[in-house]
Amino acid sequence: MTALPPGPAYASALLPSPIVTADNKPLLVVFEAAAIGAWQGAAAKASSLIVTDAESLKTADATLVQLHSMAKAIEARRVELKKPLTDLGKAIESVVAQIAEPLSEAKRSLLGKISAFNRIQAEAEDKARQERLVAQARAEAERARLQAIEDDKHRKALADAKMRAEAEAAELEAMLGSPVKAEPVAVAAALVVKAEPVAAVPIPVAVKSEAIQTRTVRKLEIFNADDVPIKIGGQLIRPINESAVKEMLAAGIDVLGCRMIEVTETVMRGTR
Protein backbone atom coordinates (compact mmCIF):
# COMPACT_ATOMS: atom_id res chain seq x y z
CA MET A 1 0.00 0.00 0.00
CA THR A 2 1.02 3.60 -0.55
CA ALA A 3 1.29 5.46 2.73
CA LEU A 4 0.54 9.18 2.72
CA PRO A 5 0.34 11.75 5.50
CA PRO A 6 -3.20 12.64 6.61
CA GLY A 7 -4.93 14.98 4.23
CA PRO A 8 -7.64 15.16 1.57
CA ALA A 9 -7.26 12.39 -0.95
CA TYR A 10 -9.35 9.72 -2.61
CA ALA A 11 -9.18 5.95 -2.87
CA SER A 12 -11.39 3.36 -4.45
CA ALA A 13 -12.59 0.31 -2.57
CA LEU A 14 -12.16 -1.55 -5.84
CA LEU A 15 -8.42 -0.84 -6.02
CA PRO A 16 -6.18 -3.73 -4.92
CA SER A 17 -3.90 -1.23 -3.15
CA PRO A 18 -6.01 1.74 -2.02
CA ILE A 19 -4.33 4.95 -0.88
CA VAL A 20 -4.34 5.08 2.90
CA THR A 21 -3.19 7.37 5.69
CA ALA A 22 -0.01 6.81 7.67
CA ASP A 23 -2.00 4.71 10.19
CA ASN A 24 -3.27 2.48 7.34
CA LYS A 25 -6.83 3.79 7.26
CA PRO A 26 -8.63 4.53 3.97
CA LEU A 27 -8.91 8.26 3.34
CA LEU A 28 -12.15 7.82 1.48
CA VAL A 29 -14.09 4.87 0.12
CA VAL A 30 -15.56 5.86 -3.19
CA PHE A 31 -18.18 3.11 -3.19
CA GLU A 32 -19.52 1.08 -0.28
CA ALA A 33 -18.98 -2.65 -0.53
CA ALA A 34 -22.73 -3.34 -0.39
CA ALA A 35 -23.38 -1.03 -3.33
CA ILE A 36 -20.58 -2.63 -5.31
CA GLY A 37 -22.05 -6.05 -4.60
CA ALA A 38 -25.48 -4.93 -5.76
CA TRP A 39 -24.08 -3.51 -8.99
CA GLN A 40 -22.04 -6.60 -9.71
CA GLY A 41 -25.06 -8.76 -9.02
CA ALA A 42 -27.26 -6.70 -11.35
CA ALA A 43 -24.61 -6.93 -14.08
CA ALA A 44 -24.34 -10.70 -13.65
CA LYS A 45 -28.13 -11.06 -13.73
CA ALA A 46 -28.35 -9.00 -16.92
CA SER A 47 -25.65 -11.11 -18.57
CA SER A 48 -27.54 -14.30 -17.82
CA LEU A 49 -30.96 -13.08 -18.91
CA ILE A 50 -32.44 -14.56 -22.07
CA VAL A 51 -35.51 -12.89 -23.54
CA THR A 52 -37.86 -15.56 -24.91
CA ASP A 53 -41.39 -14.53 -23.86
CA ALA A 54 -43.47 -11.80 -22.28
CA GLU A 55 -42.41 -12.69 -18.73
CA SER A 56 -38.68 -12.68 -19.51
CA LEU A 57 -39.13 -9.44 -21.47
CA LYS A 58 -40.75 -7.86 -18.40
CA THR A 59 -37.81 -8.99 -16.28
CA ALA A 60 -35.35 -7.66 -18.87
CA ASP A 61 -37.13 -4.30 -18.96
CA ALA A 62 -37.01 -3.99 -15.18
CA THR A 63 -33.34 -5.02 -15.09
CA LEU A 64 -32.50 -2.54 -17.84
CA VAL A 65 -34.18 0.28 -15.90
CA GLN A 66 -32.30 -0.82 -12.77
CA LEU A 67 -28.94 -0.85 -14.63
CA HIS A 68 -29.64 2.58 -16.08
CA SER A 69 -30.48 3.94 -12.62
CA MET A 70 -27.32 2.39 -11.16
CA ALA A 71 -25.17 3.85 -13.93
CA LYS A 72 -26.64 7.29 -13.29
CA ALA A 73 -25.93 6.91 -9.56
CA ILE A 74 -22.33 5.90 -10.25
CA GLU A 75 -21.84 8.85 -12.60
CA ALA A 76 -23.37 11.23 -10.06
CA ARG A 77 -21.00 9.90 -7.40
CA ARG A 78 -18.06 10.33 -9.75
CA VAL A 79 -19.00 13.93 -10.49
CA GLU A 80 -19.56 14.59 -6.77
CA LEU A 81 -16.17 13.19 -5.74
CA LYS A 82 -14.27 14.72 -8.64
CA LYS A 83 -15.76 18.21 -8.33
CA PRO A 84 -13.33 19.37 -5.62
CA LEU A 85 -10.46 18.09 -7.73
CA THR A 86 -11.88 19.76 -10.84
CA ASP A 87 -12.35 23.03 -9.00
CA LEU A 88 -8.86 22.74 -7.56
CA GLY A 89 -7.48 22.05 -11.02
CA LYS A 90 -9.18 25.16 -12.39
CA ALA A 91 -7.81 27.22 -9.52
CA ILE A 92 -4.32 25.86 -10.13
CA GLU A 93 -4.59 26.60 -13.85
CA SER A 94 -5.67 30.16 -13.06
CA VAL A 95 -2.79 30.76 -10.65
CA VAL A 96 -0.26 29.18 -13.00
CA ALA A 97 -1.56 31.22 -15.94
CA GLN A 98 -1.08 34.46 -13.99
CA ILE A 99 2.60 33.58 -13.57
CA ALA A 100 3.27 31.64 -16.77
CA GLU A 101 1.58 33.94 -19.29
CA PRO A 102 3.72 37.01 -18.49
CA LEU A 103 6.80 34.78 -18.65
CA SER A 104 5.70 33.38 -22.01
CA GLU A 105 5.01 36.85 -23.33
CA ALA A 106 8.41 38.06 -22.09
CA LYS A 107 10.03 35.04 -23.75
CA ARG A 108 8.27 35.76 -27.06
CA SER A 109 9.29 39.42 -26.86
CA LEU A 110 12.93 38.64 -26.12
CA LEU A 111 13.00 35.97 -28.81
CA GLY A 112 11.74 38.59 -31.27
CA LYS A 113 14.45 41.05 -30.19
CA ILE A 114 17.19 38.46 -30.62
CA SER A 115 15.77 37.45 -34.01
CA ALA A 116 15.70 41.11 -35.09
CA PHE A 117 19.32 41.53 -33.97
CA ASN A 118 20.30 38.43 -35.92
CA ARG A 119 18.56 39.80 -39.01
CA ILE A 120 20.41 43.12 -38.71
CA GLN A 121 23.72 41.27 -38.41
CA ALA A 122 22.92 39.06 -41.39
CA GLU A 123 21.92 42.09 -43.49
CA ALA A 124 25.15 43.90 -42.54
CA GLU A 125 27.17 40.83 -43.51
CA ASP A 126 25.34 40.49 -46.83
CA LYS A 127 25.83 44.21 -47.56
CA ALA A 128 29.58 43.99 -46.89
CA ARG A 129 29.90 40.94 -49.13
CA GLN A 130 27.97 42.69 -51.91
CA GLU A 131 30.18 45.78 -51.60
CA ARG A 132 33.27 43.58 -51.87
CA LEU A 133 31.89 41.85 -54.98
CA VAL A 134 30.99 45.20 -56.59
CA ALA A 135 34.48 46.57 -55.92
CA GLN A 136 36.08 43.44 -57.37
CA ALA A 137 33.84 43.64 -60.45
CA ARG A 138 34.80 47.31 -61.01
CA ALA A 139 38.50 46.51 -60.66
CA GLU A 140 38.18 43.66 -63.16
CA ALA A 141 36.28 45.88 -65.62
CA GLU A 142 39.02 48.52 -65.42
CA ARG A 143 41.72 45.86 -65.89
CA ALA A 144 39.92 44.53 -68.96
CA ARG A 145 39.65 48.08 -70.40
CA LEU A 146 43.36 48.78 -69.92
CA GLN A 147 44.29 45.33 -71.26
CA ALA A 148 42.28 46.01 -74.42
CA ILE A 149 44.27 49.24 -74.93
CA GLU A 150 47.60 47.41 -74.54
CA ASP A 151 46.48 44.62 -76.88
CA ASP A 152 45.47 47.20 -79.50
CA LYS A 153 48.89 48.92 -79.19
CA HIS A 154 50.58 45.55 -79.71
CA ARG A 155 48.54 44.78 -82.82
CA LYS A 156 49.36 48.19 -84.31
CA ALA A 157 53.07 47.84 -83.50
CA LEU A 158 53.15 44.40 -85.12
CA ALA A 159 51.32 45.67 -88.23
CA ASP A 160 53.70 48.64 -88.54
CA ALA A 161 56.77 46.38 -88.22
CA LYS A 162 55.44 44.02 -90.90
CA MET A 163 54.72 46.97 -93.19
CA ARG A 164 58.28 48.34 -92.79
CA ALA A 165 59.80 44.88 -93.37
CA GLU A 166 57.77 44.43 -96.53
CA ALA A 167 58.72 47.93 -97.75
CA GLU A 168 62.44 47.22 -97.19
CA ALA A 169 62.13 43.88 -98.98
CA ALA A 170 60.44 45.58 -101.95
CA GLU A 171 63.17 48.24 -102.09
CA LEU A 172 65.95 45.59 -102.09
CA GLU A 173 64.07 43.59 -104.71
CA ALA A 174 64.03 46.66 -106.98
CA MET A 175 67.73 47.28 -106.47
CA LEU A 176 68.81 43.65 -106.95
CA GLY A 177 66.36 42.73 -109.63
CA SER A 178 65.48 39.51 -107.90
CA PRO A 179 62.83 38.50 -105.38
CA VAL A 180 63.60 39.37 -101.77
CA LYS A 181 61.66 37.85 -98.91
CA ALA A 182 60.72 40.19 -96.07
CA GLU A 183 62.52 39.51 -92.80
CA PRO A 184 60.45 38.12 -89.93
CA VAL A 185 59.47 40.87 -87.52
CA ALA A 186 59.39 40.78 -83.75
CA VAL A 187 57.86 43.29 -81.39
CA ALA A 188 57.60 43.35 -77.63
CA ALA A 189 54.71 41.32 -76.22
CA ALA A 190 51.65 43.19 -75.11
CA LEU A 191 51.82 44.44 -71.58
CA VAL A 192 49.77 42.26 -69.23
CA VAL A 193 47.60 44.48 -67.06
CA LYS A 194 46.79 43.31 -63.56
CA ALA A 195 43.76 44.45 -61.65
CA GLU A 196 44.34 47.03 -58.99
CA PRO A 197 44.11 45.58 -55.48
CA VAL A 198 40.65 46.07 -54.01
CA ALA A 199 40.53 47.75 -50.65
CA ALA A 200 39.44 45.16 -48.13
CA VAL A 201 35.81 45.52 -47.19
CA PRO A 202 35.56 44.21 -43.63
CA ILE A 203 32.95 41.48 -43.16
CA PRO A 204 31.38 41.91 -39.72
CA VAL A 205 31.62 38.86 -37.50
CA ALA A 206 28.13 37.95 -36.32
CA VAL A 207 27.63 37.40 -32.62
CA LYS A 208 25.75 34.14 -32.18
CA SER A 209 23.06 33.68 -29.54
CA GLU A 210 23.72 30.75 -27.24
CA ALA A 211 20.04 30.38 -26.33
CA ILE A 212 18.28 30.13 -29.69
CA GLN A 213 18.69 28.44 -33.03
CA THR A 214 17.13 28.69 -36.45
CA ARG A 215 15.83 25.67 -38.30
CA THR A 216 14.10 24.97 -41.56
CA VAL A 217 10.84 23.05 -41.33
CA ARG A 218 8.27 21.95 -43.87
CA LYS A 219 4.75 23.23 -43.32
CA LEU A 220 1.44 22.87 -45.10
CA GLU A 221 0.30 25.95 -47.00
CA ILE A 222 -3.34 26.11 -48.07
CA PHE A 223 -3.08 28.87 -50.66
CA ASN A 224 -6.58 28.38 -52.09
CA ALA A 225 -9.04 26.64 -49.78
CA ASP A 226 -11.81 26.82 -52.39
CA ASP A 227 -9.86 24.51 -54.72
CA VAL A 228 -9.35 21.76 -52.13
CA PRO A 229 -11.43 18.74 -53.28
CA ILE A 230 -13.97 17.01 -51.06
CA LYS A 231 -12.46 13.57 -51.57
CA ILE A 232 -9.30 12.07 -53.01
CA GLY A 233 -9.14 8.36 -53.61
CA GLY A 234 -12.26 7.83 -51.53
CA GLN A 235 -10.81 9.66 -48.50
CA LEU A 236 -12.81 12.62 -47.22
CA ILE A 237 -10.61 15.67 -46.74
CA ARG A 238 -13.22 18.42 -46.39
CA PRO A 239 -13.63 20.04 -43.94
CA ILE A 240 -9.91 20.30 -44.64
CA ASN A 241 -8.11 17.50 -42.83
CA GLU A 242 -4.56 18.87 -42.64
CA SER A 243 -3.07 15.58 -41.45
CA ALA A 244 -4.58 13.70 -44.39
CA VAL A 245 -3.47 16.39 -46.84
CA LYS A 246 0.11 16.25 -45.50
CA GLU A 247 0.18 12.47 -45.86
CA MET A 248 -1.05 12.71 -49.45
CA LEU A 249 1.47 15.38 -50.40
CA ALA A 250 4.25 13.34 -48.75
CA ALA A 251 3.15 10.34 -50.86
CA GLY A 252 3.41 12.41 -54.04
CA ILE A 253 -0.35 12.90 -54.47
CA ASP A 254 -1.28 16.38 -55.68
CA VAL A 255 -3.94 18.18 -53.65
CA LEU A 256 -5.38 21.23 -55.37
CA GLY A 257 -4.98 24.43 -53.37
CA CYS A 258 -2.32 22.92 -51.08
CA ARG A 259 1.44 22.56 -51.03
CA MET A 260 4.29 21.96 -48.62
CA ILE A 261 6.69 24.86 -48.15
CA GLU A 262 9.93 25.30 -46.25
CA VAL A 263 10.02 28.03 -43.62
CA THR A 264 12.76 29.15 -41.29
CA GLU A 265 11.78 29.56 -37.67
CA THR A 266 13.62 30.64 -34.56
CA VAL A 267 13.30 28.36 -31.54
CA MET A 268 15.05 27.65 -28.27
CA ARG A 269 18.33 25.78 -28.75
CA GLY A 270 17.85 22.05 -28.37
CA THR A 271 14.25 22.13 -29.62
CA ARG A 272 13.55 19.20 -31.91
Side-chain angles (χ1 to χ4, degrees), residues 30 32 42 47 58 64 69 78 88 98 105 107-108 111 114 119 141 149 154 182 212 217 224 235 246 248 263 267 270:
V30 177
E32 296 292 341
S47 298
K58 183 177 180 181
L64 182 61
S69 177
R78 184 194 68 81
L88 179 60
Q98 293 177 40
E105 180 56 36
K107 175 186 169 184
R108 284 192 294 270
L111 189 63
I114 293 175
R119 282 196 301 273
I149 292 173
H154 179 263
I212 67 171
V217 297
N224 193 338
Q235 182 173 359
K246 289 179 182 177
M248 291 180 179
V263 297
V267 296

Side-chain angles (χ1 to χ4, degrees), residues 151-164 185-188:
D151 291 343
D152 188 55
K153 288 179 180 179
H154 179 263
R155 283 192 296 273
K156 288 181 178 179
L158 184 60
D160 289 345
K162 286 182 178 180
M163 187 179 297
R164 285 193 299 270
V185 297
V187 296

